[in-house]
Amino acid sequence: KRPVSASNIERLVGNIENKLQQMGKPEVSSRIVGDMVISGLKELDHIAYIRYAIVYLRLDDLHALRDEIDRLLES
């Protein structure tokens, strides 16, 4: 629901798939995939990043959320 083009989303997914394949492992942990996703979203769309981070990083209160937003704004 964000104004991110389908081609940008496909590029992010493709990059993640390529990195996972280059690892050469039959299985990878969800943590590795999650870290790749959050890193990609941070570059792609800050709002999508924050929405994902709320769940993935377990930002369960407003102070934690504000701290993450402040870190994002500083970078």
Side-chain angles (χ1 to χ4, degrees):
K1 298 181 182 181
R2 298 286 308 144
V4 178
S5 70
S7 63
N8 283 340
I9 294 170
E10 289 173 11
R11 188 177 306 117
L12 173 59
V13 171
N15 288 340
I16 292 170
E17 286 177 345
N18 288 336
K19 288 177 186 175
L20 292 171
Q21 289 174 353
Q22 289 174 0
M23 294 173 78
K25 297 180 181 180
E27 290 185 29
V28 293
S29 74
S30 60
R31 184 67 175 184
I32 291 171
V33 176
D35 288 348
M36 290 179 180
V37 170
I38 201 162
S39 176
L41 286 176
K42 191 172 189 178
E43 295 177 23
L44 185 63
D45 183 84
H46 289 163
I47 300 300
Y49 166 82
I50 289 296
R51 291 173 67 181
Y52 187 81
I54 288 169
V55 175
Y56 185 68
L57 300 177
R58 297 187 176 131
L59 305 177
D60 55 0
D61 63 50
L62 290 176
H63 295 288
L65 180 57
R66 182 174 50 191
D67 291 344
E68 190 61 32
I69 291 170
D70 289 343
R71 279 191 288 276
L72 185 60
L73 291 172
E74 291 173 1
S75 61

